[in-house]
Amino acid sequence: MLTNLSIQNYALIDDMNVSFAEGFTTITGETGAGKSILLGGLSLVLGKRADLTSLKNQERKCIIEADFDVSKYSLKHFFANHDLDYENHTILRREILPSGKSRAFVNDSPVTLDVMKGLGERLVDVHSQHQTLRLTENDFQLKVVDALADNQDNLVGYRVHLSAYKKAANELEELLDFQANSNKEHDYNSFLLKELESANLKDGMQESLETEYEQLNNVEQIMEQLSLGHQLLNDEQMGILGKLADLKRAFQHLSDYGDNYKSLNERVQSIFIEMDDVAGELETLRDGVEANPNRLETINGQLQLLYDLQKKHQVGTVLELIAVRDQLSGKVDAVENIESKIREKEQELQQKTKEVETWAIKIRDARNAVIPKLKSTLQENLYALGMPSATFKIAINPSDSFKVNGKDDLVFLFSANKGSEYGELKKVASGGELSRIMLTIKAILAQYEQLPTMMFDEIDTGVSGEISNRMGEIMKEMGQTMQVFSITHLPQVASKGRQQFKVFKEEDVMGTTTQMKKLTQEERVRELAEMLGGKTLSESALAHAKQLLQ
């Protein structure tokens, strides 16, 4: 509920600070006194866009603060979603700077205007004759029916299963799209896969083939160098092994003359053994080397295939070709298995459809059960509001598609007079009739759910006498369970308030300002008497005013 409103430097308001209580509050004042200015200031802190014309003094900033007790509104989730600190006592502040810039704050944390508007809609419902069009919207009408039907839990269950149904439907659509698009590429992908599979790709194969190719392609030079090495080692006259044998024998004699000679001898012996081993391996290699044109041609073909595949797939290694092959294999398998996946997803979607349909039927049954009560309550209340012949036709018809609030189409038709054709509210109801219908519906809703603070802006325009008295009674009854404001010109409505405020203008040498004050009991009597009979207060007007307050 709104506990305090502070407005500085806005329109004709210089500095205003007003505290409010729970229950039903009425706001009165002469035409032009500034009641709309008050409402305009409040709407800014609820997220309405502003401009520089809002500033009373163009050289100072405009500041509007609204304090709310939000403990009954279940808003912790909203605060968490927008990374705001939740406090039962929450302050919304709006600043409009002389530069034209606007800033918004919730509990001193900067927020966007959209966040402030979203929170404001949960805190205050401003209702005027111009806003009754919401009454003609199907979603709002269903919300009224669901409140009476206590459908909140059913709607939560329905939306959980609706989300699962939509997920399955989207996944099926993606599979079908994939199938339609991939069929065009499937043959080409299969061809590329077979081409890569026929290459028998293995990590390291390219290096191995390139090494073997170099050996076979240079076999004559290899044989020539091996033969030369063998000759250098084994030549009878000048061979290295012969000379090393002489050196070995010479050093064997020296080893007996000291450890240093012995160590040197061991090194010479080691060199001889190593070179003798090299000579043996050279001979083996030389005997094993032979020209093989057929093998060379085969290897050349394998390497050329690898090079061609790498060029085609724009990669540089066999490992990258293997990755391409595996990716193509996945695509080909996906297409070849898509039919079974589609069948599985279709079965899943059928199951999800049954589940969400079950919840939709629960919602529909609950709605149908309360429609007779809704019709009779509306008609009874409108009878008391001067619409004795008002009747409704309300029906729930199954829809062809799942909606966010069920699988129903609501027929909500109205007739104001006997013998008149039934029609949609927006087509057959006048502005005054819509206002009375909306007031009645809000009163019904107040019995079934926690509504935000309700601000009725002159919805009683055009009515008088007993009807206005009944409208005041309805708002007073609503005030038993919620905070309700009514800006009114009617004394019958104004007198029903638990507290009454007056908006008025003051003029001095500095100009004109709009003020607002809470009226005492005596001041209320005088205000109501003026509303009844004008500025000249008669005894009868004062007596009537006292009677209204009693």
Side-chain angles (χ1 to χ4, degrees), residues 219-220 222-223 226 284-291:
V219 67
E220 293 179 0
I222 292 171
M223 289 181 68
L226 288 173
T284 301
L285 288 172
R286 185 192 65 182
D287 293 343
V289 173
E290 62 178 344

Side-chain angles (χ1 to χ4, degrees), residues 49 104 114 122 151 165 259 269 359 367 391 499 548:
R49 297 200 174 274
D114 285 341
R122 291 164 170 79
N151 253 338
Y165 160 82
D259 289 341
Q269 295 294 328
W359 283 92
R367 287 169 173 170
T391 55
Q499 55 181 347
L548 286 175

Side-chain angles (χ1 to χ4, degrees), residues 12 186 191 220 242 257 261 263 291 480 482 504-505:
L12 292 178
H186 180 60
F191 167 76
E220 293 179 0
Y257 301 119
Y261 298 114
S263 173
Q480 300 298 317
M482 60 183 292
F504 58 96
K505 285 182 180 178

Side-chain angles (χ1 to χ4, degrees), residues 23 90 106 111-112 179 201 223 233 248 260 281 295 316 320 327 349 369 384 391 394 431 456 462 482 512 521 528:
T90 286
V106 174
V111 296
T112 65
Q179 183 186 44
L201 300 171
M223 289 181 68
L233 285 168
K248 182 180 72 165
N260 53 337
E281 190 169 344
R295 176 61 180 164
E320 289 174 305
Q327 187 178 23
L349 183 60
T391 55
I394 306 174
F456 291 106
M482 60 183 292
T512 303
Q521 186 72 2
L528 292 174

Side-chain angles (χ1 to χ4, degrees), residues 233-236 238-247 249 272:
L233 285 168
N234 293 287
D235 185 85
E236 290 183 6
M238 299 293 293
I240 294 172
L241 281 176
K243 297 297 181 184
L244 279 174
D246 293 340
L247 184 64
R249 283 190 295 271
F272 179 82

